[in-house]
Amino acid sequence: MTQGAEFPPRGTDTGRRTRDDERLQDGRGGVSMDSDDPLTETAVPATVSVVIVDDHGIFRSGLRAALGPVIRVLGEAATVEEAEAVITSTAPDVVLLDVHLPGGRGGGGAEVIHRCAKRGAASRFLALSVSDSAEDVVAVIRAGARGYVTKTISGPEITDAVQRIASGDAVFSPRLAGFVLDAFGTASVAVDDELDRLSARELEVMRLIARGYSYKETAKELFISVKTVETHVSAVLRKLQLSSRHELTRWATERRLL
C-alpha cells in the first residue's frame, strides 16, 4: 500500500454520504433544513403592535424585553398626556396600560381610554397593573378596556394575552374576572330569552369563554374535558346564532355579563 492510500479515491461522493448520514442521525430523514419545499415551511404568527404605558421606566424596559418576537413595540408613555399623544399618533393594535398614571385630571388609565376614544383611536386596551382591587378593575373596564391582568404575569402569558386581545377576545386574571361580573350584575340572566336557551352547564362555559378563558382553562375550571368544552361552545354559538368567540364576547358585553 502506498503512502496516502488510506484517503478515498478522487471522485468519490464521501462528503455527500457523510452529510446524508448526519441528517438520518438527527431525524431529518435526508431532508435539508433549508429546503425550498413548501411542506417544510412553518407558519409565522402575525405581528401585533403595542404601546406600553406605565410611569416606571424600569418596568417598561423589562416588559419590552419579556414580550415575544411576534409583538412589536411602537412606543412608550409615562403620563396621561404622553399616552394620548403616542397612541393617537402610532395607532397600535393593543395598548398595555397601567391604571395609575400621573397627569391629566387624575383619572389614570381610565382617562387615557376616554381621551383616545374621543379622538377616534381604534386601539384595544389591556390593563396591566400591580393593583388587584375591585375598584381599579371595574373603573378601567367601564372605560372600555378589553381585559385586566396583574403584573405577576409571565412573559409568555402577557404575549399570549396581547395576541388574544388583538384578535377580539377579553382577557382577565381569573380572580379579577369575578369583580367584573359582580359589578355589572347577572340579574338579567333569569329573564333574558336568549340566555334561557342555554343549559346550566352551557351558561357556565359561555361565561368563561366570553371572559377570555381558553378551552383548556375552562375545562380545568369546570373539571370537564377540553372536548366537552368544545361541544358546549358549539352548542352555545348555535343556540345564540353566533359564529365566533369574538361575537360571543361582544354579545356578553352588550348584556353586561363581563
Side-chain angles (χ1 to χ4, degrees), residues 74-139:
L74 301 182
E76 300 179 3
T79 68
V80 170
E81 290 83 1
E82 289 178 5
E84 179 184 4
V86 71
I87 292 167
T88 54
S89 64
T90 61
D93 298 316
V94 176
V95 178
L96 289 167
L97 180 68
D98 194 3
V99 297
H100 296 296
L101 296 168
R105 297 182 177 179
E111 183 176 346
V112 171
I113 298 174
H114 286 307
R115 286 188 176 211
C116 291
K118 288 181 179 179
R119 296 187 61 177
S123 302
R124 294 187 170 100
F125 292 83
L126 173 60
L128 176 61
S129 177
V130 69
S131 171
D132 61 357
S133 75
E135 181 181 356
D136 286 336
V137 175
V138 173

Side-chain angles (χ1 to χ4, degrees), residues 179-244:
F179 296 153
V180 180
L181 288 175
D182 290 342
F184 286 88
T186 56
S188 62
V189 171
V191 296
D192 191 313
D193 290 339
E194 292 177 305
L195 285 176
D196 284 344
R197 301 173 191 171
L198 307 181
S199 69
R201 179 61 87 184
E202 288 169 350
L203 190 57
E204 290 178 321
V205 171
M206 180 277 293
R207 286 173 175 167
L208 293 176
I209 294 297
R211 281 155 56 180
Y213 279 59
S214 67
Y215 285 5
K216 184 176 180 180
E217 290 168 336
T218 301
K220 183 178 180 180
E221 185 76 12
L222 299 179
F223 301 100
I224 57 180
S225 69
V226 173
K227 183 65 176 178
T228 300
V229 172
E230 293 174 351
T231 299
H232 285 315
V233 170
S234 296
V236 168
L237 294 178
R238 184 183 71 255
K239 291 180 179 181
L240 299 180
Q241 299 182 346
L242 303 173
S243 61
S244 67

Side-chain angles (χ1 to χ4, degrees), residues 54-72:
D54 193 283
D55 60 334
H56 293 93
I58 292 178
F59 176 77
R60 294 198 306 272
S61 298
L63 178 57
R64 180 190 281 262
L67 291 170
V70 296
I71 308 300
R72 181 166 58 99

